[in-house]
Amino acid sequence: MRSKQTKYIFITGGVVSSLGKGLSAASIGALLESRGLNISFVKLDPYINVDPGTMSPFQHGEVYVTHDGAETDLDLGHYERFTSVHMSRANNFTTGQIYETVIQKERRGEYLGRTVQVIPHVTDEIKGKILALAKNVDVLIVEIGGTVGDIEGLPFLEAIRQLKLEVGGGNAINIHVTLVPFIVAAGEVKTKPTQHSVKELREIGIQPEIILCRTDRDLTLDIKKKISLFCNVKVESVITCRDVSSIYELPLLLHREGLDERIVEALNMWTAEPVLGAWEKVVHTVKSATNRVRIGIVGKYVDSAESYKSLNEALVHGGMANQAKVDIEYIDAEGLTDQPAVHDRLEGMDAILVPGGFGKRGTEGKIEAIRYTREHSVPFLGICLGMQLATIEFARHVCGLVDAGSTELTDQPQHPVIDLMNEQRNVSGLGGTMRLGAYTCVLANGSLAGSVYQCDQVTERHRHRYEFNNTYREHLETGGMRLSGLSPDGKLVEMIEIPSHPWFLCCQFHPEYGSKPLKPHPIFAAFVRAALDHQRR
Ligand code: GLN
């Protein structure tokens, strides 16, 4: 069902950040896909960094890696998890990237000596990037990061204002996500912040067609009428977006509020009725889970839930595949100073996971945790840095290479079992030296990896600099480690496991990026299953 004209949905946020704008955008995508429409997304980030690759996970949350190796905003993860779209480098851009292009063009003389200005040069560049994504899709969902009123966001808002005018009425709509807080002292919800934030939008020429109100309770008709009146939006287009216990309830909740109906109406589109059976099943699975497992994540960014977004979701999906609710416990690796401390902290966990990470801090604690899982037959999943540390642990405590280490973490370790590959040694600067994006991995016959994936070759996404050092392959294999996943040319170790252990699996890539509620990733499904088996043992 392809309409000739691509339609646009511009999503902005007001009042406060963290309103779940990305999840709303993803849910809208899910609803439109369920109506048979072909959709795509783009996230515009107003910050000046060129990409989030070098930003601290503490500040910015997870860096989401696309198939083509772009380090992007975590909202692209929501888009991929909620829909069938494949995001790429082109689906996320920042002010930094826009200015970089504009300045390069200026240096090349492409502006023919004219004064280069925000309007039209920067806004044209933004529009060009949006329009380039509008091919072969019915609806392009454009999410603008930040909050209306931020200085940084202005060029983006101006660009979408112009674009709406250019593509004409009925071909583009604005959805504004705001907060409608309940004020305990007054005993009522307040619409004033919403009014002000919409006023701010209208001052720069943007009138939203739909307002999504984030609240902790259902809004009464009176409240909706008030918002409608003050914000110049039809009352049926004031949508309640209540807090939900599982984010996967969101598409159904918004559908019940009539959101997708309002959108297709406003965009002048005729579509099939939405088919939402798969989402109903997801919500049912989440709510009816009869099993429960405790999984410990031993990491560094334990205070910031956003830092391991995809990982958390992948574990939830793994739970869904096993009718299990997964209780995730973050364990600060720095507290794991020796085996007694590890015992204290990890006892009672049904499985342990060591995720990706950078830098030395906490790594010795993670190694202690891995040792504990290996020696006590606790299911273990090591991802990226997690695999590298498991390699070091095995080298040290099983193979007798007492000074085994990684050249990232120790200056000239005696046994650099994790090291840079030769090609990477001469590269300088941050951000540009990593192995990024999708690579193929060939799985060994009869391995745990093979039985988890049920196939002999997979493609998964990477984000790291260091690799398993091939010099030590034989030594580690002799000690009892199995190299169960290799690059197609056999030169890179992508997965390791310990066959004598009930479930010990590590991968150099990040399987969490590819997991969806409608299609839990096999590694996470098998990991949660192993946790359940361990619990019953
Ligand atoms: N710091 C390690 C490397 O660069 C691992 C990276 C990661 O876990 N994503 O190789």
Side-chain angles (χ1 to χ4, degrees):
M1 187 175 310
R2 171 94 24 92
S3 47
K4 282 181 208 81
Q5 162 80 46
T6 296
K7 309 273 181 170
Y8 298 85
I9 300 176
F10 301 118
I11 302 183
T12 50
V15 186
V16 290
S17 57
S18 305
L19 282 177
K21 220 177 347 144
L23 283 170
S24 303
S27 303
I28 289 170
L31 290 173
L32 296 181
E33 264 198 341
S34 81
R35 287 174 168 260
L37 295 170
N38 200 344
I39 57 150
S40 191
F41 294 91
V42 55
K43 171 84 194 282
L44 318 186
D45 279 313
Y47 48 75
I48 296 168
N49 307 58
V50 171
D51 65 44
T54 51
M55 289 165 88
S56 161
F58 286 117
Q59 268 209 8
H60 188 259
E62 167 186 273
V63 171
Y64 188 74
V65 180
T66 55
H67 259 263
D68 65 345
E71 299 178 279
T72 68
D73 187 76
L74 57 79
D75 280 325
L76 272 73
H78 294 312
Y79 306 160
E80 286 198 342
R81 281 190 282 277
F82 276 71
T83 69
S84 63
V85 297
H86 292 289
M87 294 287 97
S88 74
R89 186 172 301 283
N91 299 87
N92 181 205
F93 59 89
T94 67
T95 296
Q97 278 167 33
I98 295 289
Y99 273 89
E100 201 179 34
T101 319
V102 169
I103 289 168
Q104 279 165 2
K105 281 190 181 171
E106 189 273 333
R107 293 289 82 187
R108 286 196 301 266
E110 288 183 33
Y111 296 114
L112 307 173
R114 280 191 292 268
T115 310
V116 182
Q117 296 179 297
V118 173
I119 305 173
H121 302 103
V122 169
T123 47
D124 279 354
E125 197 59 45
I126 297 171
K127 285 190 290 180
K129 282 203 185 251
I130 298 175
L131 287 168
L133 288 165
K135 298 191 181 91
N136 303 323
V137 293
D138 299 317
V139 183
L140 181 65
I141 300 169
V142 183
E143 181 190 343
I144 290 120
T147 306
V148 167
D150 297 346
I151 290 179
E152 290 90 345
L154 278 173
F156 288 121
L157 295 173
E158 169 60 17
I160 61 167
R161 183 195 65 77
Q162 295 174 15
L163 201 54
K164 191 174 182 182
L165 188 71
E166 286 164 26
V167 298
N171 292 324
I173 57 168
N174 284 84
I175 299 182
H176 191 54
V177 185
T178 74
L179 178 72
V180 181
F182 179 79
I183 304 296
V184 180
E188 57 186 19
V189 296
K190 291 292 181 188
T191 64
K192 195 73 84 189
T194 300
Q195 295 177 34
H196 278 281
S197 148
V198 171
K199 183 165 162 258
E200 194 139 7
L201 264 184
R202 288 163 67 187
E203 271 169 15
I204 50 176
I206 294 175
Q207 167 66 56
E209 280 75 10
I210 296 173
I211 298 182
L212 263 190
C213 306
R214 184 70 193 274
T215 75
D216 66 351
R217 63 205 61 221
D218 284 328
L219 298 183
T220 61
L221 186 59
D222 275 349
I223 292 291
K224 286 189 172 184
K225 279 184 177 162
K226 193 167 172 187
I227 294 174
S228 157
L229 182 66
F230 281 94
C231 300
N232 194 31
V233 168
K234 287 185 203 155
V235 67
E236 62 272 23
S237 295
V238 179
I239 305 283
T240 308
C241 181
R242 267 193 72 153
D243 297 347
V244 279
S245 55
S246 155
I247 55 172
Y248 302 117
E249 289 176 48
L250 211 48
L252 294 177
L253 181 112
L254 294 173
H255 170 69
R256 280 197 295 273
E257 277 281 309
L259 178 61
D260 46 319
E261 197 59 48
R262 297 291 88 75
I263 290 175
V264 293
E265 245 169 49
L267 287 174
N268 253 320
M269 300 180 94
W270 277 264
T271 74
E273 280 297 305
V275 182
L276 292 165
W279 283 102
E280 276 154 15
K281 211 169 138 205
V282 163
V283 173
H284 177 77
T285 311
V286 172
K287 297 212 152 162
S288 64
T290 45
N291 302 311
R292 210 174 178 125
V293 286
R294 266 176 93 194
I295 293 185
I297 298 185
V298 182
K300 179 164 76 164
Y301 312 113
V302 291
D303 294 326
S304 163
E306 298 285 288
S307 323
Y308 297 123
K309 191 103 230 163
S310 296
L311 191 60
N312 292 346
E313 294 312 317
L315 285 166
V316 171
H317 308 157
M320 289 177 184
N322 294 286
Q323 285 78 50
K325 177 168 185 327
V326 179
D327 295 322
I328 299 171
E329 256 177 67
Y330 293 102
I331 298 158
D332 185 357
E334 284 186 292
L336 306 178
T337 42
D338 50 23
Q339 282 302 304
V342 176
H343 262 267
D344 262 10
R345 195 67 190 80
L346 300 197
E347 202 156 20
M349 297 288 168
D350 300 314
I352 296 294
L353 193 157
V354 173
F358 292 83
K360 188 176 173 59
R361 189 153 72 78
T363 49
E364 287 302 322
K366 293 179 193 176
I367 291 172
E368 289 291 343
I370 297 167
R371 176 174 198 171
Y372 171 89
T373 67
R374 184 179 53 74
E375 291 180 344
H376 294 83
S377 298
V378 179
F380 174 74
L381 175 59
I383 294 175
C384 207
L385 181 66
M387 165 167 143
Q388 299 175 353
L389 298 178
T391 307
I392 295 171
E393 192 282 319
F394 198 83
R396 284 187 192 170
H397 305 125
V398 179
C399 302
L401 303 173
V402 185
D403 290 318
S406 158
T407 41
E408 177 189 12
L409 312 171
T410 323
D411 222 11
Q412 297 184 323
Q414 197 187 340
H415 295 290
V417 291
I418 303 297
D419 198 2
L420 286 180
M421 300 298 277
N422 275 337
E423 313 79 85
Q424 286 168 298
R425 281 187 207 280
N426 309 324
V427 201
S428 62
L430 285 179
T433 63
M434 275 196 271
R435 178 144 80 106
L436 283 165
Y439 287 84
T440 300
C441 166
V442 178
L443 307 172
N445 245 337
S447 61
L448 173 61
S451 81
V452 162
Y453 276 107
Q454 293 288 311
C455 63
D456 46 24
Q457 190 167 307
V458 292
T459 301
E460 297 279 9
R461 299 176 222 186
H462 291 247
R463 180 175 185 247
H464 56 101
R465 286 191 184 83
Y466 295 81
E467 304 280 355
F468 186 106
N469 185 345
N470 291 327
T471 319
Y472 291 92
R473 275 195 193 188
E474 223 182 288
H475 208 129
L476 289 157
E477 280 177 319
T478 311
M481 176 179 278
R482 176 153 200 197
L483 313 181
S484 53
L486 298 179
S487 58
D489 63 4
K491 288 189 180 151
L492 297 168
V493 177
E494 306 281 41
M495 295 186 83
I496 60 169
E497 55 192 71
I498 303 177
S500 60
H501 185 286
W503 209 96
F504 192 105
L505 189 67
C506 301
C507 44
Q508 190 53 76
F509 46 78
H510 291 271
E512 67 271 26
Y513 293 138
S515 189
K516 299 175 182 228
L518 299 176
K519 207 169 161 219
H521 190 287
I523 287 189
F524 290 92
F527 181 52
V528 173
R529 165 120 313 267
L532 279 168
D533 290 346
H534 180 73
Q535 189 182 70
R536 289 172 187 147
R537 224 180 291 140

